[in-house]
Amino acid sequence: MSKPRIILLPGDRNGIGPEILGKLLADPACHQWADIEVMADPGVLAAGGVPAAATAGYRLLPFSPEAEAPIEPGQATAAAGRECLAALSRAAQRLRDGEADGLVFAPLNKQALHLGGLAQADEMRFLAHELGHDGACGELNVLAELWTTRVTSHIPLADVAGRITPGSVGQTIRFAHDSLVAAGRPAPRIAVAALNPHAGDGGNFGREEIEVIEPAVRRAVDDGIAAEGPFPSDTVFVRARDGAFDCVVTMFHDQGQIAMKLLGFGQGVTVLGGLPLPITTCGHGTAYDIVGTGQATDGALRNALRICAAMAGNNQNGSAR
Amino acid sequence: MAVDGPLAPIAITLGEPAGIGPEITLKAWHRRVFHDLPLFYLIGDPGLLRGVAKKMSSPPPIKEIAEPAEAADVFDTALPILPIALAGRVKPGRPNTRHATAVMAAIEQAVSHARAGAAAAVVTNPIQKSVLHKAGFKHPGHTEYLAELCAAKRSPVMLLSCPGLKAVPVTIHLPLQEAVAALTTDLIVERALTTAAALERDFGLSPPRLAVAGLNPHAGEDGELGSAERDIILPAVRRIAAEGIDVAGPLPADSMFHAEARRAYDAAICMYHDQALIPIKTIAFEFGINVTLGLPIVRTSPDHGTALDLAGRNEADPASLISAIGYAGLIARRRRRFG
């Protein structure tokens, strides 16, 4: 079996993306996982200290849609945003054409993307559009061996309870299961968080656990998924960290993000799940405040590459296509 | 009362007899010297405690006392117990409503000792709320019950504390949907002022620094993800600041709890139960405690539940109870000294 072909993008030119890409590519170990193709403006790579393609052993695909734009460390600029969108679009085209098996991008900056003309809510929706994918997709966060995803995401907390339905909870459990299996984790153990304090305390503090979440978990179990819950959300991540579960499905954004960030999600990976091909990125952002200081580390980007390569390799093995 | 004399003993309540309360109380007494714990006594059933002690490799001795003042003479050699008889045998892990009367009586006695000055503080073992509710207990939890027993004028505030973080949930035992609806500027301000006063009075943090969490993802992201920050929380932050308190917020909840962010404040004011509990449990699972602010008495408790699945196995960790007893002593001493 040949190694999967993975496209790597440096992300926002004014953030730490180019530097951490340089640190990653300087390590020969990263080439064991994948045949790496870097698509980027050579000027941006040079400024970030990325070693030359010939010495580091990757393939360079020069791509300079904003060749005239300056590099402005720590600034969210429209040019950087436009460049990122153009690179994502081009990378998606290569994935669609079968010229690559997966995509990993270094951090993007949301403000820059919007200045650069992003029409969708975020880069995941943008990529789904570019890949011609109109099915469900969602973000999963991965920290070491622990995965998490959520039933609701960027919506007001007041709207969350109304979106907790047997369908939405069931779909998210299924989505988590399928994503972990795609990443090479057969029969993942999935913990489902409760919505209310003390998991509703037997109905005293809310009935969604009894009426919605528990039936959804039961149905998932009937479908052969190793799901359990609902568990009180204040301790479910502690148990998962200690190895009781492979994945936690949360009901809303901060339920998972508070715990994951405390557990060190800065080194974590975001997987854009549900898309036809594996796409991953760093859990952290562009870290504009430390650009050029040498403090940025490539741990998260390295993990993103490792997970993307595993998912792409799994696609090949499964010969689904 | 003499400011430098010995502190009155601390009253510990029985809690759910079928849970781990009796076991962790015995273990806390066993480690009293190592942890330099203040004097305490348990209000509970001596027979139950003897049975639990027997399962331990070196069973702690138990001695009955008739009033709190006798605890001082007993404490060095045995766990002092002020007896309250249970209505029958206890099966570990199997709560029974017939014990509810004794469970509540222990709480009432402890509060009355503390109000009379016979006890320096009350530390409560976890109760099984569903069982008490079946027996006619009308309160959502301990905190509300204690407020009634103390005839507290202001509504009490639950402060969760672990090494590195103190957090106060503005709403407590409500379904998430109702918690969101119950959030008002007045409520946030009231909780924050009670918290600030307690940080200064009970923890010696002067001037106190508060951080107020947002309600919505990314603290609402300038109104894109909800308006509670703009309409309810920000006005509260302004009013708290107008009282001369160092306060920041509303802050995105997912980025305000890491170690560096925590250095900027002494307590986090959280908008709902799990927003406070998730960081506390994630940072220090074993060491979290609960301190009730705004009562005329000092009250702390471990922040875990009855752990029915662990009861009777001699595997329960007393760390949280030990920490709760230690803090009760510290706060009681400060209040005696500074009023």
Side-chain angles (χ1 to χ4, degrees):
Chain A
M1 185 192 91
S2 60
K3 286 185 283 186
R5 300 159 301 167
I6 306 288
I7 302 172
L8 269 174
L9 304 179
D12 187 281
R13 58 162 59 199
N14 300 320
I16 58 170
E19 304 170 40
I20 61 175
L21 180 61
K23 286 185 177 173
L24 176 65
L25 291 171
D27 178 0
C30 70
H31 302 288
Q32 295 167 8
W33 306 325
D35 281 330
I36 295 171
E37 176 179 283
V38 176
M39 193 165 79
D41 184 326
V44 169
L45 295 182
V50 178
T55 51
Y58 63 89
R59 194 155 84 87
L60 175 66
L61 209 73
F63 183 69
S64 308
E66 299 288 331
E68 304 303 314
I71 294 172
E72 301 174 74
Q75 301 296 316
T77 67
R82 281 195 303 272
E83 178 180 50
C84 291
L85 293 173
L88 291 175
S89 172
R90 177 79 183 279
Q93 188 60 50
R94 290 184 68 74
L95 292 174
R96 288 182 81 161
D97 293 347
E99 289 169 25
D101 304 308
L103 166 65
V104 177
F105 55 91
L108 308 173
N109 183 277
K110 204 170 177 185
Q111 197 191 345
L113 292 180
H114 284 294
L115 290 172
L118 175 67
Q120 288 77 7
D122 52 35
E123 63 270 20
M124 181 175 67
R125 301 292 178 326
F126 176 78
L127 280 163
H129 175 259
E130 295 295 305
L131 287 166
H133 173 77
D134 49 16
C137 56
E139 194 181 283
L140 296 105
N141 302 125
V142 188
L143 179 64
E145 299 303 309
L146 172 60
W147 290 58
T148 183
T149 188
R150 48 198 186 236
V151 178
T152 69
S153 190
H154 291 127
I155 61 168
L157 196 65
D159 298 347
V160 165
R163 304 266 193 103
I164 302 300
T165 65
S168 67
V169 176
Q171 271 167 25
T172 311
I173 296 171
R174 161 62 67 184
F175 170 71
H177 173 84
D178 290 350
S179 300
L180 268 88
V181 170
R185 303 274 290 269
R189 297 159 304 161
I190 296 172
V192 180
L195 176 70
N196 296 303
H198 304 247
D201 191 43
N204 284 324
F205 311 144
R207 299 201 56 83
E208 285 90 348
E209 284 75 17
I210 295 168
E211 288 167 8
V212 180
I213 305 174
E214 207 181 299
V217 170
R218 267 206 307 275
R219 205 159 310 124
V221 170
D222 289 344
D223 291 345
I225 296 176
E228 288 180 66
F231 295 113
S233 71
D234 56 350
T235 49
V236 68
F237 276 92
V238 179
R239 297 179 61 189
R241 174 197 67 193
D242 295 343
F245 309 107
D246 301 307
C247 181
V248 180
V249 169
T250 63
M251 296 299 121
F252 59 95
H253 182 274
D254 283 350
Q255 222 181 20
Q257 290 304 298
I258 292 174
M260 287 294 268
K261 290 198 175 171
L262 278 171
L263 295 175
F265 186 55
Q267 293 297 305
V269 175
T270 295
V271 175
L272 307 187
L275 299 175
L277 286 149
I279 301 180
T280 65
T281 184
C282 306
H284 61 71
T286 44
Y288 278 164
D289 52 330
I290 59 165
V291 177
T293 64
Q295 288 169 260
T297 59
D298 64 332
L301 189 64
R302 173 184 301 264
N303 290 334
L305 174 63
R306 191 174 50 79
I307 289 170
C308 187
M311 294 178 80
N314 229 38
N315 275 354
Q316 289 177 341
N317 282 343
S319 58
R321 289 167 297 131
Chain B
M1 193 192 293
V3 163
D4 293 318
L7 200 66
I10 291 168
I12 303 191
T13 64
L14 172 67
E16 169 54 51
I20 60 170
E23 177 186 329
I24 58 178
T25 307
L26 288 162
K27 287 178 171 174
W29 180 84
H30 189 69
R31 299 181 197 179
R32 69 203 178 282
V33 177
F34 181 78
H35 293 286
D36 194 18
L37 291 181
L39 184 61
F40 61 84
Y41 63 100
L42 178 73
I43 304 178
D45 185 295
L48 169 68
L49 268 287
R50 286 201 180 90
V52 174
K54 263 188 215 149
K55 294 190 181 158
M56 300 181 175
S57 52
S58 52
I62 286 154
K63 189 156 187 229
E64 292 181 32
I65 56 174
E67 53 177 291
E70 293 173 18
D73 291 335
V74 171
F75 192 69
D76 285 341
T77 52
L79 171 65
I81 297 195
L82 198 76
I84 281 192
L86 289 169
R89 278 200 50 203
V90 173
K91 281 190 195 150
R94 307 289 290 275
N96 192 313
T97 49
R98 67 185 170 168
H99 299 314
T101 313
V103 170
M104 289 188 270
I107 299 169
E108 282 161 25
Q109 276 200 24
V111 169
S112 110
H113 292 168
R115 294 191 76 189
V122 174
V123 176
T124 56
N125 267 308
I127 50 175
Q128 195 67 24
K129 290 189 261 293
S130 51
V131 175
L132 295 189
H133 285 145
K134 276 185 208 144
F137 184 73
K138 299 177 303 296
H139 308 276
H142 256 130
T143 304
E144 297 84 353
Y145 184 40
L146 292 164
E148 188 187 283
L149 292 176
C150 290
K153 289 182 203 76
R154 298 174 82 172
S155 66
V157 171
M158 179 166 109
L159 176 129
L160 301 148
S161 177
C162 73
L165 177 64
K166 290 182 172 51
V168 169
V170 167
T171 60
I172 309 179
H173 291 132
L174 289 176
L176 186 70
Q177 187 70 12
E178 290 176 31
V180 172
L183 205 60
T184 64
T185 300
D186 285 347
L187 189 64
I188 297 167
V189 171
E190 187 189 324
R191 296 281 195 260
L193 295 183
T194 304
T195 305
L199 288 174
E200 206 156 3
R201 178 191 190 198
D202 293 340
F203 294 92
L205 294 162
S206 181
R209 301 166 305 163
L210 301 181
V212 180
L215 175 72
N216 297 302
H218 308 175
E221 207 163 287
D222 299 325
E224 295 284 315
L225 304 178
S227 57
E229 284 75 13
R230 186 188 57 217
D231 298 342
I232 297 171
I233 307 174
L234 189 59
V237 170
R238 293 206 174 112
R239 272 174 51 191
I240 297 161
E243 298 282 334
I245 291 167
D246 181 344
V247 60
L251 304 175
D254 62 346
S255 60
M256 67 183 280
F257 295 114
H258 63 83
E260 202 184 316
R262 293 200 306 265
R263 279 195 275 278
Y265 60 84
D266 300 315
I269 307 295
C270 299
M271 298 301 111
Y272 52 92
H273 181 275
D274 285 353
Q275 197 181 48
L277 264 299
I278 292 171
I280 290 278
K281 298 275 189 181
T282 308
I283 290 166
F285 182 68
E286 301 89 349
F287 299 104
I289 65 160
N290 180 340
V291 183
T292 309
L293 311 179
L295 292 179
I297 62 168
V298 178
R299 184 263 177 152
T300 69
S301 72
D303 79 341
H304 54 69
T306 50
L308 297 177
D309 52 330
L310 271 184
R313 293 163 51 180
N314 196 23
E315 289 172 16
D317 184 348
S320 180
L321 178 65
I322 286 172
S323 185
I325 296 169
Y327 265 106
L330 289 174
I331 295 170
R333 249 180 239 115
R334 278 194 59 83
R335 284 204 192 168
R336 189 170 58 158
R337 184 169 283 272
F338 300 111

